[in-house]
Amino acid sequence: MTTWLIKGARILGGEAADLLLADGRIAQIGRGLSEAGAQVLDADGLVALPGLVDLHTHLREPGREDAETVETGTQAAALGGFTAVHAMANTDPVADTAGVVEQVWRLGREAGHCDVHPVGAVTVGLAGERLAELGAMADSAARVRVFSDDGKCVSDAVLMRRALEYVKAFDGVIAQHAQEPRLTEDAQMNEGELSGVLGLRGWPAVAEEAIIARDVLLAAHVGSRLHVCHVSTAGSVEIIRWAKSRGCNVTAEVTPHHLLLTEQLVATYDPVYKVNPPLRTQEDVQALRAALADGTIDAVATDHAPHPAEDKDCEWAAAAMGMIGLETALSVVQEAMVETGLLDWAGVADRMSYRPARIGRLAEQGQPLAPGAPANLTLYDPSARWTVDPSAFASRSRNTPYQGMTLPGRVVATFLRGRPTVLDGKIA
């Protein structure tokens, strides 16, 4: 394996130092390092961050390879600075057996752009009727620790309690898509004054908040771990804050798009802004940013949801929900959190690497940049500015809400166990 010497990178945005990567590990960190035969990378002005970890990625394979594959999705992840992703279970067939999660895990290993950790379904076929093979998936080669019916809510309280109890045996976590189904039938956008003006059926905040309130109580009752997917309302933040203050073992994530975009964009009727949960109000955005800054929300997760053009380029009511986000996530977080002074780069490392890795129980990811740690890192240029052109994305789909926008920062290089997956902003 090639030895790499990274010269003059600003560790977490602080003092510049050199990093020597050898045998998949960080061998040394210091100034004026040299190593005969090492490949040298000039990182003057670049911020060194631990490799990012995404808790919420849709890779679509198996079943919807027209939208994304493990190969293209993990290329997009590497270009976004990620060294590990959790692949959601709503594939076809659903990842509800040891066989399917092992298939996704092996495809990730073969692609080699980042580690792929499959998320197992909570219920068979995501149908919400009976538990999937949680234990078999945990014992499989994929060693699944995160389970979710994402896209659908585990709305049956008894089933949710049983799932929470079951995963305790192997320190798993239930990642809930909090959406009360009866309250969101045919819902198209955030419920409020604007939904009335536009004539679109509203998606009330209480549909999310009611499920979170129920689940934190259930998790506390059985002493299990609960993770709340893509929190989107100020009320949800207050429930999670209350639960944490009582010692409940609950964690939560927010998407980059819910940190930046608001429901006002829906007034264009452009389906690229149709997402689940929906874009909310500016007040919600401010509450989510504050909660991520103070740690009430633990992590940023992309909810990267690729769709082919035929599923998005249609009238609003018929369009699929979701938007891609792996290749823009760090830039959006810089725009929403760093340039507003709410997080520094150490905070970004905590919310986009350390904490997601701990939630997913990943031993070799989300480690501080220190001698002896796995050489998983990204080098980022925060001074860059770029105009989003989805035709240049590695993702097979193009449904980004940022097309034509100028965003800050670019990933220059990504290393996975000391091997570059991205160099000079391109797949290595």
Side-chain angles (χ1 to χ4, degrees), residues 205-228:
V206 70
E208 177 175 303
E209 295 156 4
I211 293 295
I212 296 173
R214 183 202 73 176
D215 286 352
V216 296
L217 294 173
L218 282 174
H221 182 65
V222 304
S224 190
R225 290 202 295 141
L226 170 73
H227 179 72
V228 184

Side-chain angles (χ1 to χ4, degrees), residues 173-318:
V173 61
I174 301 298
Q176 175 70 290
H177 174 103
Q179 178 189 351
E180 209 294 318
R182 292 295 305 279
L183 289 172
T184 53
E185 289 179 356
D186 300 321
Q188 297 290 315
M189 66 169 293
N190 181 49
E191 181 178 282
E193 182 177 349
L194 184 60
S195 64
V197 171
L198 298 178
L200 296 173
R201 186 178 293 274
W203 188 306
V206 70
E208 177 175 303
E209 295 156 4
I211 293 295
I212 296 173
R214 183 202 73 176
D215 286 352
V216 296
L217 294 173
L218 282 174
H221 182 65
V222 304
S224 190
R225 290 202 295 141
L226 170 73
H227 179 72
V228 184
C229 297
H230 39 50
V231 174
S232 72
T233 78
S236 297
V237 167
E238 289 308 308
I239 294 166
I240 294 164
R241 184 173 284 126
W242 171 85
K244 287 192 170 188
S245 74
R246 292 172 61 89
C248 298
N249 200 350
V250 57
T251 55
E253 68 187 38
V254 63
T255 71
H257 49 270
H258 284 106
L259 290 171
L260 190 65
L261 309 179
T262 73
E263 63 171 359
Q264 292 299 320
L265 293 162
V266 179
T268 65
Y269 288 104
D270 185 341
V272 77
Y273 302 115
K274 186 176 180 181
V275 66
N276 180 354
L279 300 177
R280 303 289 188 177
T281 67
Q282 186 61 43
E283 290 73 22
D284 291 310
V285 168
Q286 294 304 323
L288 294 170
R289 289 182 179 185
L292 184 65
D294 70 21
T296 301
I297 293 178
D298 301 81
V300 175
T302 68
D303 196 8
H304 175 82
H307 292 291
E310 58 267 29
D311 289 349
K312 288 296 273 187
D313 295 343
C314 49
E315 64 176 286
W316 180 277

Side-chain angles (χ1 to χ4, degrees), residues 156-175:
D156 184 315
V158 173
L159 204 58
M160 185 64 179
R161 173 180 175 169
R162 288 175 180 163
L164 287 164
E165 290 173 331
Y166 200 103
V167 299
K168 286 175 63 178
F170 40 82
D171 197 23
V173 61
I174 301 298

Side-chain angles (χ1 to χ4, degrees), residues 62-237:
R64 286 305 306 267
E65 289 83 354
D66 57 327
E68 194 75 284
T69 65
V70 172
E71 171 72 22
T72 59
T74 54
Q75 282 188 354
L79 288 166
F82 292 90
T83 53
V85 299
H86 289 77
M88 276 295 166
N90 57 344
T91 51
D92 184 13
V94 171
D96 56 6
T97 65
V100 178
V101 296
E102 285 191 349
Q103 177 190 1
V104 175
W105 176 74
R106 293 187 192 285
L107 286 169
R109 285 171 63 90
E110 291 167 7
H113 304 295
C114 70
D115 290 344
V116 174
H117 299 277
V119 174
V122 178
T123 66
V124 175
L126 309 178
E129 296 174 350
R130 57 191 174 94
L131 290 183
E133 299 174 2
L134 307 183
M137 289 188 278
D139 292 338
S140 72
R143 296 189 57 76
V144 175
R145 290 296 179 271
V146 182
F147 298 86
S148 180
D149 276 3
D150 184 58
K152 295 184 178 179
C153 179
V154 182
S155 60
D156 184 315
V158 173
L159 204 58
M160 185 64 179
R161 173 180 175 169
R162 288 175 180 163
L164 287 164
E165 290 173 331
Y166 200 103
V167 299
K168 286 175 63 178
F170 40 82
D171 197 23
V173 61
I174 301 298
Q176 175 70 290
H177 174 103
Q179 178 189 351
E180 209 294 318
R182 292 295 305 279
L183 289 172
T184 53
E185 289 179 356
D186 300 321
Q188 297 290 315
M189 66 169 293
N190 181 49
E191 181 178 282
E193 182 177 349
L194 184 60
S195 64
V197 171
L198 298 178
L200 296 173
R201 186 178 293 274
W203 188 306
V206 70
E208 177 175 303
E209 295 156 4
I211 293 295
I212 296 173
R214 183 202 73 176
D215 286 352
V216 296
L217 294 173
L218 282 174
H221 182 65
V222 304
S224 190
R225 290 202 295 141
L226 170 73
H227 179 72
V228 184
C229 297
H230 39 50
V231 174
S232 72
T233 78
S236 297
V237 167

